[in-house]
Amino acid sequence: MNAPVKPDAFRVDTSPAPDPAAPIIRFAQIGKTYPSRDGQGAVAALSGIDLDVPKGAIVGVIGRSGAGKSTLIRLVNGLERATSGRLLIEGEDVTGLTEAGWRSRRRATGMIFQHFNLLSSRTVFDNVALPLEIAGTPKAEIEDKVARLLDLVGLADKRGRYPAELSGGQKQRVGIARALATDPKVLLCDEATSALDPETTRSILALLRQVNRDLGITILLITHEIPVIKEICDRVAVIEDGRIVEEGDVFTVLTRPQHPTTARFVEAVTGVELPAYLEGRIRKEARPGDQTVLRITFTGENATAPVISRLSSTIGVDVNILAGRIDAIAGKPFGSLLVSVPTREPELAAVLGALNGLELKAEVIGHVS
């Protein structure tokens, strides 16, 4: 005789399927406060943070010291707990996780530190192997995995060396290999290049981009250096006084900043400095016979097009180039020029009208004789 079928066998799972397009990390109205030093109140480190980190993307959070960026990233591995709001990782609300729950969650999250945090008494191989040993991974598997990771970060020949024998860039490569040991889905970078020289920084950023591209690992990084954002990030959030003041894709935010804090950050990588011989001569008010100094911003196809020569030939106005630069932001060309044109009308109006017709941003810097 057949056993009776339990009603549960007919029960259909009606819970929604995971959304493949959903962000891997979502901050929803996150707030974090600390008790004040005098014990009479609370200090807000984060207030109303809304931020999505798309799966497979490199997202940067930039801000000055004390802006709240370190607190933000520490929430993602449970080193800090939110006071309000919700934090979702892979669709799971982790806001109220116990410490035991966080231990399991951290295995899917790698962390790279500013000052490397390597154990001086362990070799390069043993530093990378440490998280695998803690997880109880078999020795043979550890040997194979660490060897592959050291090859990935370019340190296969340094496996027996100690941290004191390595350069800063090599130490950070060990840190990256160690962070990848547990096959994380998310890599957190806490000012990972701040202690490195510019050339080493570029090599570490190239390695992080390779890790993101080849392994499909999502990267969330915090930094106070706008060149880091420009070099490898897909999206950027600007944080000030514990709030996100601007957020979007890197090219749009860096070429069309909307918030004064963002504008100050990006000026170093998108602006063109006024030549020294003009700094003391430029003035706000125009005088008869003056030239008007314009900063023209080029984006997309216009960044490499001969716009100035076309401008001169089309409207018959002499345009004098004072300074300029062409660069790439998020893989797209971007250019900025300082030029001088006649202040008198109708020439100035013709220049500004032509630039507007070409969809180029023109900003009046001042006037010189």
Side-chain angles (χ1 to χ4, degrees), residues 23-67:
I24 194 167
I25 302 171
R26 168 166 283 171
F27 299 88
Q29 282 296 294
I30 286 288
K32 174 65 179 178
T33 60
Y34 296 98
S36 61
R37 290 185 178 180
D38 59 13
Q40 301 301 308
V43 177
L46 299 173
S47 301
I49 296 291
D50 285 317
L51 179 65
D52 284 353
V53 178
K55 185 176 181 179
I58 301 180
V59 176
V61 178
I62 188 167
R64 293 182 176 81
S65 296

Side-chain angles (χ1 to χ4, degrees), residues 204-217:
I204 293 298
L205 293 178
L207 176 58
L208 289 175
R209 173 54 86 181
Q210 179 189 349
V211 166
N212 166 257
R213 182 183 62 244
D214 295 350
L215 304 182
I217 296 176

